[in-house]
């Protein structure tokens, strides 16, 4: 299981450009990562967001469908989230960008994240 956060602030969502692996570098995603054995999904999400962005978030409702990843061995689940402590730091990505609803199509999303982008549009209200 792969978990991710659609961190929303002031009507914008945080998008992250992959730095690696080379075949994915420059493509955009929601921050998050792998659920470790014995770890609850939301706990994994909180840990991953802290590791990747050095912030604390409050996790809200799920957004979008479960997305089977291309290799077929994992599923991506995304939750809405809001910042509760800190400002996102770019620790693992090539770039971070806050996107409004009308800017969502301005970046090249990873295929797994694209269905989430569509489901997220209604949550990005200024």
């Amino acid at each position: 299981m792969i978990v991710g956060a659609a961190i929303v602030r002031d009507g914008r969502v945080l998008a992250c450009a992959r730095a690696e692996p080379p075949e994915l570098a420059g493509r955009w995603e929601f921050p998050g990562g792998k659920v470790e054995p014995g770890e609850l999904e939301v706990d994994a999400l909180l840990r991953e967001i802290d590791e990747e962005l050095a912030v604390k978030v409050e996790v809200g409702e799920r957004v979008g469908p479960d997305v089977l990843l291309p290799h077929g061995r994992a599923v991506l689940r995304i939750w809405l989230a809001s910042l509760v402590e800190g400002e996102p730091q770019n620790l693992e990505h090539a770039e971070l960008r806050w996107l409004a609803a009308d800017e969502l199509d301005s970046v090249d999303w990873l295929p797994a994240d694209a269905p989430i982008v569509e489901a997220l549009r209604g949550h990005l209200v200024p």
Side-chain angles (χ1 to χ4, degrees):
M1 181 66 60
I2 306 296
V3 295
I7 302 171
V8 177
R9 177 175 71 185
D10 300 327
R12 296 175 179 268
V13 66
L14 184 66
C16 304
R18 294 286 302 248
E20 55 183 86
E23 64 271 16
L24 300 179
R27 307 275 315 262
W28 292 77
E29 67 179 359
F30 297 105
K34 191 175 184 179
V35 178
E36 299 297 335
E39 192 174 34
L40 297 174
E41 292 176 5
V42 170
D43 291 342
L45 184 56
L46 294 171
R47 175 184 52 75
E48 287 284 348
I49 296 304
D50 185 41
E51 290 173 3
E52 289 184 17
L53 302 171
V55 296
K56 305 285 185 227
V57 295
E58 180 177 323
V59 177
E61 66 186 81
R62 289 264 322 276
V63 63
D66 284 359
V67 179
L68 185 64
L69 296 179
H71 53 67
R73 294 188 304 267
V75 170
L76 172 66
R77 287 188 177 150
I78 303 289
W79 279 262
L80 290 172
S82 56
L83 289 172
V84 293
E85 183 181 311
E87 183 64 26
Q89 304 299 305
N90 191 0
L91 303 177
E92 295 186 6
H93 293 91
E95 184 181 350
L96 303 179
R97 199 180 291 176
W98 290 99
L99 302 174
D102 62 353
E103 298 171 312
L104 290 173
D105 297 325
S106 69
V107 298
D108 184 16
W109 292 97
L110 288 170
D113 291 80
I116 309 302
V117 170
E118 291 309 311
L120 185 62
R121 287 183 194 277
H123 294 279
L124 302 181
V125 188

